[in-house]
Amino acid sequence: MVSRRGLLAGAAGSAILGAGLGAYGLVVEPRLRLRVQAYALSPAGWPGGVRLRIAALADIHAGLPYMPLARVRQIVEATNALAPDLVVLLGDYASSDRFPFTRIPWDETVPLFRGLDAPLGVYGILGNHEFWDDPSAQRRRGDTLAHDAFRRSRVPLLENDAVRLQARGGPVWLLGLGDQLAFRLGRARYIGRDDLPGTLAKVTDDAPAILLAHEPDIFPKVPGRIALTLAGHTHGGQVRLFGHSPVVPSHYGNRYAYGHVVEDGRHLIVSGGLGTVAAGLVPVRFGVPPEIVVVDIWGE
């Protein structure tokens, strides 16, 4: 029989363990850890002489206490140290969480991206928070304050647009999709700014193509013409244990929650992101440290 002292000791141990895990999920993982998540792939049809290193930053959610501007600067410096050919920004640059959070305006966050250094440039897309956190844009169903911040900072946005880049060994197309959840109509109902057919139509030759999409749910519609789709939005579920995320903001659940997904020869990489959101809960990260994604692509 377990003694009263043993029961109390067990309860105290459980409380200490719970407090330790809570501190880790609230403070250590989201605020102190930063990892580089590397992928290497050779998609079918990628020209043999073309090599490309991409660094991808997703879901920064700048704001206090979790993502101060000093932390964004640290991320910029760590990204530059990877010597990427191209840097892409996958959306959600600010946070409006009600959990003790002080929002940092886009005009203070976006200019820091000018410090990113890559020979092929830095390109961004917008995420749902750029639209959801701008009441005027929601009413007008138009451009956001984030659009203005990118224009003033001279960091190019790709919104249903494409640009042809000269990578090592040959040209590569970079496509950026408009956000799929831009305007809220009610509970789980949205009007997107995405135009996948119109974006694909801007590719005018057979050079390999890469698509940036904030939400990964577009992936089933992406044709084989696209060598790689890069996405964010899910934060890897923010809590991930044994390869499973209990809650994922995707219609497909864990199918596109995190990591490298290959379907019908098509490649998708979903970043675990850098910041946190509470979404009505405590903004923890557990098993999904903030990450810079780096992708090396070459042909065979």
Side-chain angles (χ1 to χ4, degrees):
M1 179 179 295
V2 179
S3 68
R4 181 172 180 271
R5 178 177 295 178
L7 286 172
L8 291 174
S14 297
I16 292 170
L17 177 62
L21 293 175
Y24 177 83
L26 277 168
V27 178
V28 176
E29 187 159 308
R31 298 180 64 180
L32 302 180
R33 292 195 62 188
L34 179 63
R35 74 178 178 189
V36 174
Q37 181 61 49
Y39 300 93
L41 58 148
S42 181
W46 190 274
V50 179
R51 299 186 67 90
L52 184 65
R53 168 170 278 202
I54 306 170
L57 307 179
D59 303 290
I60 289 172
H61 290 291
L64 301 173
Y66 293 101
M67 186 63 71
L69 292 180
R71 173 79 159 166
V72 180
R73 293 188 188 97
Q74 176 195 11
I75 291 165
V76 167
E77 292 172 1
T79 302
N80 289 341
L82 298 170
D85 301 307
L86 171 69
V87 178
V88 297
L89 309 168
L90 298 177
D92 278 7
Y93 307 106
S95 179
S96 58
D97 270 352
R98 289 170 294 177
F99 194 87
F101 225 99
T102 300
R103 182 171 162 185
I104 297 174
W106 287 292
D107 274 342
E108 295 183 31
T109 304
V110 174
L112 298 183
F113 301 145
R114 290 202 303 258
L116 291 164
D117 185 20
L120 297 182
V122 179
Y123 292 87
I125 60 173
L126 298 185
N128 57 296
H129 273 269
E130 277 68 73
F131 292 91
W132 292 4
D133 298 347
D134 188 336
S136 176
Q138 287 292 306
R139 289 192 300 271
R140 294 180 285 103
R141 294 186 183 171
D143 284 359
T144 68
L145 294 170
H147 283 89
D148 295 337
F150 271 88
R151 291 186 192 110
R152 284 192 291 270
S153 299
R154 299 184 300 282
V155 176
L157 273 180
L158 296 176
E159 191 170 28
N160 302 317
D161 207 352
V163 61
R164 192 173 186 267
L165 305 173
Q166 188 62 39
R168 287 175 287 169
V172 174
W173 286 94
L174 182 67
L175 288 64
L177 192 66
D179 189 69
Q180 301 157 60
L181 305 174
F183 303 114
R184 286 170 152 166
L185 297 181
R187 184 174 179 82
R189 295 177 59 228
Y190 307 94
I191 294 176
R193 293 259 291 211
D194 55 306
D195 179 5
L196 182 59
T199 305
L200 294 170
K202 295 183 178 181
V203 176
T204 58
D205 61 29
D206 61 356
I210 294 165
L211 175 68
L212 312 180
H214 180 65
E215 296 92 359
D217 284 15
I218 194 67
F219 188 58
K221 299 178 182 179
V222 175
R225 171 71 181 85
I226 300 299
L228 170 65
T229 300
L230 290 169
H233 182 63
T234 66
H235 300 203
Q238 275 188 199
V239 174
R240 191 167 178 85
L241 301 171
F242 308 108
H244 179 83
S245 302
V247 179
V248 183
S250 165
H251 290 302
Y252 296 94
N254 272 267
R255 180 175 169 183
Y256 302 140
Y258 176 72
H260 186 192
V261 179
V262 182
E263 292 183 353
D264 302 321
R266 300 168 304 121
H267 294 263
L268 166 70
I269 291 176
V270 182
S271 170
L274 290 153
T276 61
V277 293
L281 302 172
V282 178
V284 300
R285 273 186 178 267
F286 197 94
V288 197
E291 66 180 28
I292 301 167
V293 168
V294 61
V295 186
D296 286 296
I297 312 176
W298 67 89
E300 295 182 346

